[in-house]
């Protein structure tokens, strides 16, 4: 889900009075930067150039009507801060200041006429001083729009803002109560509602059955995602039936995240097979997931999937002290999008409850740069987000073909990492993202009002 911004252009009314022709330069520059942001996947809402208080107020009112996630400002020249300040103080929209100018160089031989088009930092300083004075939060990135990565840095911030908005818009579907005795991730539905306005909806009796054509279409779809390992037609169809029912239920209720306590899946429960298949397909399609009734981590997974499709639920299982790696796994759920080869559906023995035969998803995480994210509920309604940059390594050969598997290598030695992780209170349920920036995740946590700790 792309971030939608209100792109707010700043200018000075005096310049229109004395040099109207300057519009022929500043307006195309504004549109050019809007195009640059759009090319990075941002949905950009533009406005007329703002010079006086009412124009800023009207622009922000219009942006609110468009449902933007944030404001991004661009000073096209000096703009007196008191013209924009009332409107900026009167909105809760996150503000990101893009501090750039048309020319990359302003040296000894520059044409003095270019001062007119390249002194936006003058206005940025005026405005930021007033924002700091009034304790109005903002974020700022500076640099030349072509000769630096400033556009990318702004986009990283916007991704974090978007993740925060999507976290708050989560609705979690649950099967069963949380696993008895697991305390680290535990948070009540009432607390989720109070802290984040997130609704938690138990799975109902699922009486309706999809049409046979729907089941056949789902089988064709699954064939594009998975390989099959000795799965009988009956077991396959029964698990696909549950997956399709859960898909229909989540679509009907607007559910964007899901969790299941496998211990409460029995042969007589509404869902009588542990829905590993739905968990994996759901993550592939953008539905957050966590195991064992963990509604908090499921919500985290949804927020991250909304900005990065290469995201999955995971747990750290075993340390490889010798080779400085940590083995990741879980029972039978992984986002097939992140597997190095096509994920496999297998009907392994299931003995953890009286539930009927499920389908397990097995596969290995592909190599690459990853972030391990862990959200910790603290006392007094506070939260802590751990951001852990890692390298995912691939196996040449492995004895774990029938398991969910991955081997991560932290930036520091695993003895030091594991010690820090537990000293900071890290839980045993996490979310893994590929090729995501620390800036995005730091912004996400800060927008949520959480403490953010980076372990590297």
């Amino acid at each position: 889900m792309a971030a939608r911004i209100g792109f707010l252009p700043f200018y000075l009314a005096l310049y229109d009075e004395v040099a109207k022709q300057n519009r022929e330069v500043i307006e195309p520059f504004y549109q050019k930067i809007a195009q640059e942001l759009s090319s990075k996947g941002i949905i950009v809402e533009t406005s007329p150039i703002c010079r006086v208080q009412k124009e800023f107020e009207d622009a922000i009112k219009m942006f609110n009507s468009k449902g933007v996630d944030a404001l991004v400002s661009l000073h096209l020249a000096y703009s007196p801060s008191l013209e924009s300040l009332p409107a900026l103080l009167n909105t809760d929209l996150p503000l990101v200041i893009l501090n750039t100018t048309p020319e990359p160089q302003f040296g000894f031989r520059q044409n003095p006429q270019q001062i007119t088009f390249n002194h936006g930092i003058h206005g940025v300083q005026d405005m930021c001083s007033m924002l700091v004075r009034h304790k109005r939060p903002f974020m700022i990135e500076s640099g030349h729009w072509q000769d630096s990565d400033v556009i990318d840095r702004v986009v990283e911030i916007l991704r974090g803002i978007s993740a925060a908005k999507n976290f708050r818009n989560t609705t979690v579907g649950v099967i069963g109560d949380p696993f008895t005795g697991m305390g680290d991730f535990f948070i009540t539905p009432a607390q989720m509602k109070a802290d984040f306005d997130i609704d938690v909806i138990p799975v109902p009796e699922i009486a309706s059955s999809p049409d046979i054509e729907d089941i056949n279409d789902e089988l064709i779809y699954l064939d594009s995602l998975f390989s099959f390992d000795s799965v009988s037609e009956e077991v396959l169809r029964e698990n696909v039936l549950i997956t399709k029912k859960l898909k229909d239920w989540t679509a009907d209720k607007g559910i964007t995240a899901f969790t299941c306590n496998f211990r409460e899946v029995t042969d007589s429960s509404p869902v009588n097979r542990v829905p590993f298949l739905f968990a994996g397909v759901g993550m592939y399609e953008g539905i957050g997931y966590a195991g064992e009734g963990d509604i908090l981590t499921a919500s985290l997974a949804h927020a991250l999937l909304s900005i990065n499709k290469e995201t999955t639920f995971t747990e750290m299982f075993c340390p490889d002290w010798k080779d400085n790696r940590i083995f990741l796994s879980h029972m039978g759920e992984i986002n097939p999008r992140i597997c190095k080869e096509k994920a496999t559906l297998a009907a392994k023995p299931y003995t953890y409850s009286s539930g009927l035969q499920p389908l397990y998803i097995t596969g290995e995480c592909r190599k690459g740069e990853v972030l391990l994210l862990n959200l910790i509920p603290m006392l007094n309604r506070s939260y802590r987000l751990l951001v852990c940059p890692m390298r995912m390594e691939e196996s040449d050969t492995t004895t774990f073909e029938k398991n969910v598997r991955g081997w991560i290598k932290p930036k520091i030695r695993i003895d030091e990492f594991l010690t820090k992780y537990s000293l900071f209170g890290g839980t045993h349920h996490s979310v893994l993202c590929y090729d995501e920036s620390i800036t995005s995740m730091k912004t996400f946590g800060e927008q949520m009002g959480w403490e953010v700790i980076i372990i590297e």
Side-chain angles (χ1 to χ4, degrees):
M1 189 182 302
R4 182 183 296 271
I5 65 164
F7 192 30
L8 191 62
F10 287 63
Y11 199 52
L12 178 63
L14 174 64
Y15 293 161
D16 278 341
E17 295 175 15
V18 300
K20 187 71 173 178
Q21 69 278 8
N22 289 348
R23 288 279 186 141
E24 297 175 4
V25 176
I26 65 162
E27 289 181 344
F29 180 61
Y30 171 63
Q31 293 299 329
K32 178 61 180 175
I33 301 301
Q35 292 168 9
E36 290 290 318
L37 290 165
S38 181
S39 73
K40 304 289 186 178
I42 304 300
I43 300 171
V44 181
E45 303 289 351
T46 59
S47 79
I49 289 174
C50 300
R51 306 160 303 171
V52 297
Q53 182 174 333
K54 187 176 187 310
E55 291 172 346
F56 286 104
E57 291 170 346
D58 288 347
I60 292 176
K61 182 178 179 181
M62 182 268 290
F63 290 147
N64 276 318
S65 72
K66 301 273 190 176
V68 303
D69 303 329
L71 298 175
V72 174
S73 71
L74 177 66
H75 275 73
L76 300 168
Y78 175 70
S79 180
S81 61
L82 294 181
E83 298 291 355
S84 60
L85 186 66
L88 295 176
L89 295 179
N90 198 39
T91 179
D92 293 328
L93 286 170
L95 173 61
V96 184
I97 299 164
L98 174 50
N99 190 20
T100 192
T101 54
E103 291 294 319
Q105 188 173 16
F106 216 92
F108 304 138
R109 298 180 182 275
Q110 180 60 270
N111 184 342
Q113 292 182 350
Q114 287 296 321
I115 293 174
T116 301
F117 308 114
N118 290 276
H119 69 287
I121 62 170
H122 205 47
V124 169
Q125 291 163 1
D126 185 351
M127 181 181 72
C128 289
S129 178
M130 294 301 291
L131 293 174
V132 170
R133 184 182 306 178
H134 288 269
K135 299 182 179 180
R136 202 300 189 187
F138 64 91
M139 292 149 280
I140 180 169
E141 293 293 340
S142 303
H144 189 255
W145 65 280
Q146 281 181 310
D147 287 5
S148 78
D149 63 348
V150 68
I151 300 290
D152 290 332
R153 282 183 272 132
V154 167
V155 169
E156 288 176 356
I157 289 172
L158 294 174
R159 288 169 62 83
I161 290 171
S162 183
K165 181 178 180 179
N166 293 327
F167 185 96
R168 295 188 183 96
N169 289 335
T170 303
T171 300
V172 188
V174 299
I175 294 177
D177 294 323
F179 194 103
T180 301
M182 286 187 184
D184 54 358
F185 60 71
F186 179 73
I187 180 173
T188 66
Q191 193 174 347
M192 288 289 280
K193 184 67 175 178
D195 291 353
F196 307 118
D197 198 28
I198 289 176
D199 292 316
V200 178
I201 303 176
V203 66
E205 294 284 344
I206 303 178
S208 62
S209 295
D211 294 335
I212 189 66
E213 290 185 3
D214 291 338
I215 295 297
N216 289 335
D217 288 344
E218 192 73 15
L219 285 168
I220 294 170
Y221 174 52
L222 293 177
D223 190 57
S224 70
L225 300 182
F226 302 103
S227 299
F228 296 84
D229 180 12
S230 303
V231 179
S232 71
E233 183 175 348
E234 178 188 1
V235 168
L236 177 60
R237 283 191 170 272
E238 289 300 320
N239 280 274
V240 170
L241 179 63
I242 287 173
T243 297
K244 189 65 176 68
K245 286 179 176 182
L246 288 172
K247 276 190 175 184
D248 292 344
W249 171 59
T250 54
D252 180 60
K253 298 297 183 181
I255 287 168
T256 56
F258 170 75
T259 183
C260 171
N261 179 359
F262 62 90
R263 291 288 296 159
E264 299 202 15
V265 175
T266 68
D267 54 7
S268 61
S269 59
V271 175
N272 60 6
R273 299 169 193 261
V274 179
F276 297 132
L277 178 58
F278 174 67
V281 172
M283 286 188 283
Y284 183 87
E285 296 178 350
I287 295 176
Y289 172 77
E292 286 87 58
D294 182 356
I295 56 180
L296 185 64
T297 305
S299 300
L300 176 65
H302 163 245
L304 300 181
L305 280 163
S306 72
I307 64 166
N308 187 330
K309 294 179 179 180
E310 294 192 322
T311 295
T312 195
F313 169 72
T314 195
E315 294 184 9
M316 289 184 278
F317 264 70
C318 304
D320 181 349
W321 305 111
K322 183 175 180 180
D323 291 321
N324 199 43
R325 292 183 291 238
I326 300 170
F327 174 66
L328 304 179
S329 191
H330 206 246
M331 294 175 70
E333 322 95 307
I334 189 173
N335 183 348
R337 201 181 292 274
I338 70 160
C339 293
K340 76 170 185 177
E341 297 172 348
K342 207 172 186 181
T344 300
L345 294 181
K348 299 188 297 183
Y350 177 79
T351 59
Y352 298 103
S353 70
S354 66
L356 303 180
Q357 178 66 59
L359 278 183
Y360 293 79
I361 302 175
T362 67
E364 181 173 334
C365 300
R366 65 169 175 81
K367 67 181 178 181
E369 298 300 318
V370 298
L371 292 181
L372 188 80
L373 288 307
N374 188 262
L375 181 55
I376 310 159
M378 308 292 283
L379 293 178
N380 302 318
R381 298 178 63 183
S382 63
Y383 297 83
R384 174 178 289 168
L385 181 67
L386 301 185
V387 181
C388 312
M390 305 271 192
R391 173 75 182 170
M392 183 70 70
E393 298 192 341
E394 284 183 0
S395 62
D396 294 327
T397 60
T398 181
T399 54
F400 292 95
E401 291 90 350
K402 293 186 180 295
N403 297 82
V404 172
R405 58 199 184 273
W407 287 266
I408 51 173
K409 180 168 284 192
K411 301 296 183 183
I412 54 181
R413 287 200 53 82
I414 67 165
D415 50 5
E416 183 182 358
F417 170 79
L418 290 171
T419 297
K420 287 185 175 182
Y421 186 87
S422 289
L423 284 173
F424 287 130
T427 77
H428 77 287
H429 280 186
S430 295
V431 176
L432 188 79
C433 284
Y434 278 81
D435 300 317
E436 192 54 70
S437 79
I438 292 175
T439 297
S440 294
M441 294 300 95
K442 185 171 182 290
T443 302
F444 166 43
E446 290 171 347
Q447 288 294 304
M448 293 301 305
W450 302 333
E451 180 186 14
V452 179
I453 295 175
I454 301 166
I455 304 179
E456 61 178 343

